[in-house]
């Protein structure tokens, strides 16, 4: 019996370029407060959100993804045909099948890459980066486009006090490719399915139809326990990701946590004792919580504003519905 040949990948993987798309409709708190008996001041104090973006009908999941993906491919100095795998992390692609990834890959002008969606809610992008790094190192792909995209405005009840001011829309992307030096540290990831009920949908679509409802099965969130879980448990996960990458808090350049709540971001930074030299992503103030898109969008903004420079180390940590989480240290492209 002859031995099978195994694929051989690159020695290491790194992010080669990032991109983002921010929808055109800016929604200030003042546009939201009346329906939820809230105030601009309450939302700013409790969440740090000043405004968010909600997509127009033309700004579809596919459209936003293509824009972000194209920018990431250009930033990586590549042509679309060089992308041989497209991973799209989303919970708001409304078709059960085909996946968003195949449609996006086609519109981008790629050459028939592997293309599929993953469902890991707000942690989807970090899951995608972890997979992409392993694909590149394992030899199953050379250049992987990872997109995090959401239109959460389609799934958010504007009358729900617990979610209406938080969730938002957008797309972010990164190209992961080969590297001679480590550019993506070991992932620390996991799930806490026993807490699945904390962020979920009121019903599934079949139940909606069976019950004759005229409303969508909106997202629901029990914010307080999620807040405590994120602020305490995720600090340990973030520290673990640093330790596994062999980086101390003093050596870290940038901290790019999931943009869920400014108070969670501050609590994590405090618990981890991040020194003042570490630049912290605070995209949530103007973008709200864009779930899978939040980390690549925040990273893209830090690069654009010169806060994150090429060669810097950045700790990414994402967490969300599931509950699920993923964290890794990356080198900024
Ligand atoms: C949603 C969130 C901002 C709410 O903040 P909170 O401090 O936990 O607020 P609570 O639910 O404890 O409510 C506190 C008070 O504010 C009130 N309140 C709740 N929502 C309100 C709103 N939208 N506007 C005004 N008041 C509100 C409550 O009625 C309560 O009033 P009371 O003290 O008189 O009873 C916060 O829990 C949060 O960010 N959770 C995590 C979300 C997250 O990380 N999601 C990520 C996963 S994707």
């Amino acid at each position: 019996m002859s031995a099978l040949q195994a694929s051989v990948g690159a020695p290491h993987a790194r992010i080669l370029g990032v991109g983002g798309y921010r929808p055109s409709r800016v929604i200030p708190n003042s546009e939201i407060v009346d329906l939820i008996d809230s105030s601009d001041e309450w939302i700013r104090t409790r969440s740090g959100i000043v405004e968010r973006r909600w997509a127009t009908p033309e700004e579809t999941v596919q459209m936003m993804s293509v824009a972000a993906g194209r920018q990431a491919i250009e930033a990586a100095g590549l042509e679309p045909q060089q992308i041989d795998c497209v991973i799209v992390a989303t919970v708001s692609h409304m078709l059960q099948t085909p996946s968003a990834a195949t449609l996006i890959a086609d519109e981008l002008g790629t050459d028939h890459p592997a293309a599929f969606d993953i469902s890991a809610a707000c942690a989807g992008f970090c899951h995608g980066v972890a997979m992409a790094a392993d694909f590149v190192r394992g030899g199953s792909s050379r250049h992987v486009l990872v997109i995090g995209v959401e239109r959460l405005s389609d799934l958010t009840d504007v009358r729900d006090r617990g979610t209406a001011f938080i969730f938002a829309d957008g797309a972010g992307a990164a190209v992961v490719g080969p590297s001679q030096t480590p550019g993506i540290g070991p992932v620390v990831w996991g799930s806490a399915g026993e807490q699945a009920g904390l962020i979920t949908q009121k019903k599934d679509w079949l139940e909606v139809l069976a019950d004759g409802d005229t409303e969508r099965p909106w997202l629901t969130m029990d914010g307080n326990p999620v807040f405590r879980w994120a602020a305490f448990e995720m600090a340990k996960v973030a520290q673990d990701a640093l330790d596994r990458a062999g980086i101390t808090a003093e050596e870290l350049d940038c901290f790019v946590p999931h943009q869920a709540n400014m108070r969670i971001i501050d609590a994590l930074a405090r618990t981890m004792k991040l020194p003042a030299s570490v630049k912290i992503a605070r995209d949530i103030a103007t973008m709200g919580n864009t779930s899978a898109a939040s980390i690549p969008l925040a990273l893209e903004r830090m690069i654009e504003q010169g806060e994150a420079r090429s060669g810097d180390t950045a700790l990414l940590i994402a967490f969300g519905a599931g509950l699920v989480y993923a964290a890794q240290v990356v080198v900024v492209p």
Side-chain angles (χ1 to χ4, degrees), residues 91-92 150-156 167-169 219 289-291:
V91 296
S92 42
E150 302 293 0
R151 266 180 67 106
L152 291 183
S153 59
D154 286 337
L155 293 167
T156 304
F167 293 137
D169 305 337
L219 289 172
N289 177 345
T290 58
S291 190

Side-chain angles (χ1 to χ4, degrees), residues 152-196:
L152 291 183
S153 59
D154 286 337
L155 293 167
T156 304
D157 183 354
V158 290
R159 299 153 306 180
D160 179 28
R161 281 185 119 195
T163 55
F165 64 97
I166 295 179
F167 293 137
D169 305 337
V175 174
V176 174
S179 173
Q180 289 305 314
T181 52
I184 298 175
V187 67
V188 178
W189 54 2
S191 62
E194 72 281 1
Q195 300 189 73

Side-chain angles (χ1 to χ4, degrees), residues 36-39 42-43 46-47 121-122 160-167 199 221-230 258-264 289 291 319-321 323:
I36 56 172
D37 184 23
S38 188
S39 67
W42 190 94
I43 296 174
R46 292 290 177 136
S47 71
C122 304
D160 179 28
R161 281 185 119 195
T163 55
F165 64 97
I166 295 179
F167 293 137
I199 310 171
M221 178 169 68
D222 191 354
N224 208 270
V226 176
F227 186 97
R228 278 183 273 121
W229 174 78
H258 172 42
Q259 304 291 293
N261 184 316
M262 199 71 89
R263 286 158 56 219
I264 295 177
N289 177 345
S291 190
F319 45 85
L323 300 174

